[in-house]
């Protein structure tokens, strides 16, 4: 049985790590390079860096920050936000990222998924899906959760797998920042629909939420921000709790 991964998320805006609720009410959480180094030393399995306003501001991802993080850590990390095409992805990977995450660009130009896969390899390509419950389905949003697309998140997950995504980063906008648990229904539906790894995001507030995630869905990884940024729990505390409750993680 593959070990489940615990992944801190650095949502970065104007060079600082921030955290909001439902993608709004943003507040400061620290320096990205310092936090990345801390989480790497704490036992994080991977790290996700998201430049959360790059797409909506139509600008490039902060390459200097990516380079700083790459120098500070020795675990894999994924970078997303503002990656619109081949050259953006190449620049981020050359800056030290192990994977690139695309969301808005994938919805607007789905062929970009196949193109990036063919050039950089499937293992490098993460498609992020931000979803919010609508009337009877989970709707995909783009531009940092600002714009609804009409796409069904489960159908879109199947399509991105077919197009060549190596992994899905699935975020519940409804649960984002609430710290009251993951959207189990959404995650379970997507996990059952695809055969590639799913990173679950949105709602982690305590170790019990991650245990519920791994017991009730086939998610491969739990992504979290507030629980770690504000010192409620350490990565080691979460992992020790999961091990005691029968979940395989790397310690």
């Amino acid at each position: 049985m593959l070990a489940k991964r615990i992944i801190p998320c650095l949502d970065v805006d104007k060079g600082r790590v921030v955290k909001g609720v439902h993608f709004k009410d943003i507040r400061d959480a620290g320096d990205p390079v310092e936090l990345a180094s801390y989480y790497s030393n704490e036992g994080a399995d991977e790290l996700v860096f998201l430049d959360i306003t790059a797409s909506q501001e139509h600008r490039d991802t902060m390459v200097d920050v990516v380079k700083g993080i790459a120098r500070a850590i020795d675990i894999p990390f994924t970078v997303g936000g503002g990656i619109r095409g081949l050259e953006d992805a190449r620049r981020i990977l050359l800056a030290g990222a192990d994977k690139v995450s695309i969301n808005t660009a994938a919805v607007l130009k789905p062929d970009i998924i196949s193109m990036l896969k063919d050039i950089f390899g499937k293992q490098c390509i993460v498609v992020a899906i931000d979803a919010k419950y609508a009337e009877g389905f989970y709707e995909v949003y783009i531009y940092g959760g600002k714009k609804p697309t009409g796409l069904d998140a489960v159908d879109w997950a199947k399509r991105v797998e077919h197009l060549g995504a190596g992994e899905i980063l699935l975020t519940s906008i409804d649960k984002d920042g609430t710290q009251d648990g993951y959207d189990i229904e959404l995650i379970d539906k997507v996990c059952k629909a695809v055969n590639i790894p799913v990173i679950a995001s949105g709602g982690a507030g305590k170790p019990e939420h991650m245990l519920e995630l791994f017991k009730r869905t086939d998610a491969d990884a739990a992504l979290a921000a507030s629980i770690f940024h504000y010192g409620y729990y350490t990565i080691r505390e979460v992992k020790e709790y999961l091990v005691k409750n029968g979940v395989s993680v790397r310690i």
Side-chain angles (χ1 to χ4, degrees):
M1 179 176 155
L2 286 175
K4 301 296 186 180
R5 292 171 286 155
I6 304 300
I7 305 177
C9 182
L10 306 180
D11 290 328
V12 178
D13 184 19
K14 299 178 177 65
R16 297 288 292 179
V17 176
V18 296
K19 192 69 197 94
V21 179
H22 308 311
F23 288 26
K24 301 174 184 175
D25 303 323
I26 303 296
R27 62 182 175 131
D28 189 87
D31 176 79
V33 177
E34 289 177 6
L35 280 173
S37 177
Y38 171 73
Y39 291 140
S40 179
N41 293 330
E42 270 282 297
D45 296 296
E46 296 184 22
L47 197 68
V48 167
F49 169 105
L50 298 175
D51 188 340
I52 61 171
T53 55
S55 288
Q56 65 197 73
E57 293 175 0
H58 304 285
R59 61 172 173 78
D60 296 335
T61 310
M62 293 174 285
V63 173
D64 288 344
V65 180
V66 175
K67 288 180 179 177
I69 291 173
R71 287 192 294 266
I73 68 175
D74 58 4
I75 55 175
F77 84 114
T78 299
V79 174
I83 297 172
R84 296 180 291 271
L86 172 61
E87 289 310 313
D88 294 328
R90 191 191 308 279
R91 186 165 55 248
I92 293 302
L93 292 169
L94 287 174
D98 298 277
K99 309 174 195 176
V100 292
S101 173
I102 54 174
N103 177 355
T104 301
V107 171
L108 297 179
K109 300 179 293 183
D111 287 348
I112 191 177
I113 301 170
S114 301
M115 180 183 71
L116 293 175
K117 184 262 294 184
D118 290 343
I119 293 170
F120 300 115
K122 185 174 182 175
Q123 76 286 349
C124 289
I125 312 306
V126 179
V127 172
I129 299 176
D130 297 336
K132 187 175 184 178
Y133 188 74
E135 288 295 323
F137 77 111
Y138 288 92
E139 184 172 13
V140 175
Y141 277 65
I142 55 176
Y143 292 117
K146 301 293 188 295
K147 183 177 179 180
T149 65
L151 290 171
D152 179 284
V154 178
D155 291 340
W156 178 233
K158 293 177 186 176
R159 189 172 177 207
V160 304
E161 178 182 25
H162 177 73
L163 287 167
E167 198 164 32
I168 289 171
L169 170 53
L170 178 65
T171 301
S172 165
I173 297 174
D174 298 308
K175 290 288 191 174
D176 174 67
T178 63
Q179 300 177 50
D180 64 1
Y182 292 92
D183 190 327
I184 298 298
E185 181 180 349
L186 167 64
I187 297 160
D188 185 51
K189 284 177 180 290
V190 172
C191 287
K192 284 177 176 173
V194 299
N195 294 303
I196 54 176
V198 174
I199 302 169
S201 169
K206 54 187 178 180
E208 288 85 351
H209 293 151
M210 296 183 184
L211 178 63
E212 180 188 32
L213 171 72
F214 293 134
K215 292 292 188 183
R216 295 182 59 192
T217 80
D218 290 327
D220 296 84
L223 182 139
S226 302
I227 182 177
F228 298 135
H229 294 344
Y230 301 120
Y232 302 130
Y233 295 92
T234 66
I235 292 168
R236 177 161 288 277
E237 285 172 335
V238 167
K239 286 191 168 187
E240 288 176 349
Y241 173 83
L242 291 172
V243 168
K244 286 178 184 174
N245 286 277
V247 177
S248 174
V249 295
R250 298 182 192 87
I251 292 193

